[in-house]
Amino acid sequence: MKPFHELVAEAEAAPTDGWDFSWFEGRATEERPSWGYARAMAERLAHADAALDIQTGGGEVLASARKLPRLTVATEGWPSNVAKATALLHPLGAVVVAAPEDAPLPFGDQAFDLVVSRHPVRPRWTEIARVLKPGGTYFAQHVGPGSVFEIVEYFLGPQPEAGRNDRHPDRERAGAEAAGLRIVDLRAARLRMEFHDIGAVVHFLRKVVWMVPDFTVDRYRTRLLSLHERIVAEGPFVAHSTRHLIEARRPEAQSVKPEAQNVKPEA
């Protein structure tokens, strides 16, 4: 294994825009859910007329679909990701709209018969229901509760139980139903992750910035060095991600209440 300073330098130099995780090849692994989200999403896109991909990242997952609907729109809030998604998706006929994650969706009511999303920061159920046509479907893979908390707690210490239960599938079911959507499918998975060198940990925390919000190499150098020595002595650092697949449908005949404005979004 390379020395600590070389591994960290490589990770700090690696680009973090988009949701391309190919940099981790040979350095980290993660089990995949049994349901195959990208494939299942592509099947639904092939039969849709107008689709919206919320928080598309760099557009990689949407671009993997063999056939896009006649009207395909993607939103993204990170400027670097907006540029990357635009370059990737425009040639495929999809429009990318820069939209903050905590703002109302910039579309009219009942604009889409399919809304998809992979790992949104937080689903805004009333907005999702509003832009869906009656009979339309929301199909997404969400990050579940306590995901990769082994890394979070290694750097930040034990976390409150409320934080561990955030993003619980039961809460998301309740939120979707409160917005008037009907749950068609809801499945959860806990998946093994292995970090084979400290560079993979650094790159992960630089890319998934909400895990350890104040992360910098300088701030956590001592903890990083200790973890590097542990990996060298004992083997990969093991963590577990959590995911759930959710499919919800807007009933054929239904009115949706507008989302309250000027309300501070949840942290």
Side-chain angles (χ1 to χ4, degrees):
M1 186 179 292
K2 295 179 182 178
F4 172 77
H5 69 277
E6 288 188 19
L7 293 168
V8 169
E10 288 177 356
E12 287 192 294
T16 59
D17 56 317
W19 287 114
D20 177 5
F21 286 79
S22 60
W23 190 89
F24 289 100
E25 186 173 350
R27 312 185 78 146
T29 60
E30 180 183 2
E31 286 184 280
R32 292 290 181 257
S34 60
W35 49 74
Y37 174 74
R39 173 188 51 77
M41 177 203 70
E43 291 172 355
R44 287 159 175 78
L45 285 168
H47 296 94
D49 182 61
L52 168 65
D53 182 21
I54 297 174
Q55 297 174 29
T56 194
E60 297 89 350
V61 179
L62 184 61
S64 71
R66 297 186 309 276
K67 177 184 177 183
L68 295 180
R70 174 189 60 82
L71 173 64
T72 303
V73 182
T75 66
E76 177 53 35
W78 289 69
S80 60
N81 283 351
V82 171
K84 185 170 185 178
T86 298
L88 182 60
L89 295 175
H90 271 198
L92 303 179
V95 176
V96 178
V97 177
E101 294 157 356
D102 58 353
L105 292 170
F107 309 107
D109 296 354
Q110 302 182 21
F112 304 99
D113 53 281
L114 177 65
V115 175
V116 300
S117 190
R118 182 180 180 272
H119 303 175
V121 173
R122 190 172 301 276
R124 304 189 70 187
W125 292 113
T126 303
E127 281 294 284
I128 291 167
R130 180 183 65 79
V131 301
L132 275 174
K133 296 177 180 179
T137 295
Y138 175 69
F139 184 73
Q141 180 174 291
H142 292 182
V143 175
S147 190
V148 203
F149 257 44
E150 295 92 341
I151 280 188
V152 172
E153 295 192 325
Y154 177 82
F155 289 98
L156 300 181
Q159 297 297 292
E161 197 62 28
R164 284 185 166 277
N165 290 326
D166 192 25
R167 302 174 182 269
H168 195 283
D170 290 345
R171 289 187 179 184
E172 299 211 334
R173 175 192 291 274
E177 291 177 343
L181 300 174
R182 180 173 62 86
I183 299 299
V184 175
D185 193 8
L186 182 58
R187 292 180 250 172
R190 186 171 186 264
L191 307 159
R192 182 183 176 92
M193 300 177 69
E194 293 185 356
F195 294 86
H196 294 268
D197 67 55
I198 199 63
V201 174
V202 170
H203 186 60
F204 178 78
L205 292 177
R206 291 183 63 239
K207 195 173 185 71
V208 190
V209 296
W210 51 87
M211 287 290 173
V212 180
D214 65 345
F215 178 80
T216 65
V217 169
D218 287 342
R219 181 173 285 118
Y220 287 99
R221 186 172 296 275
T222 301
R223 293 295 285 163
L224 287 167
L225 181 56
S226 295
L227 184 54
H228 167 72
E229 292 170 348
R230 172 175 160 183
I231 292 172
V232 170
E234 302 176 10
F237 181 85
V238 176
H240 297 84
S241 63
T242 58
R243 303 284 184 261
H244 50 270
L245 182 77
I246 186 164
E247 185 168 12
R249 192 158 296 143
R250 178 173 171 174
E252 289 287 349
Q254 179 200 52
S255 61
V256 175
K257 295 181 180 180
E259 187 171 20
Q261 301 299 307
N262 300 318
V263 177
K264 184 178 179 181
E266 294 178 276

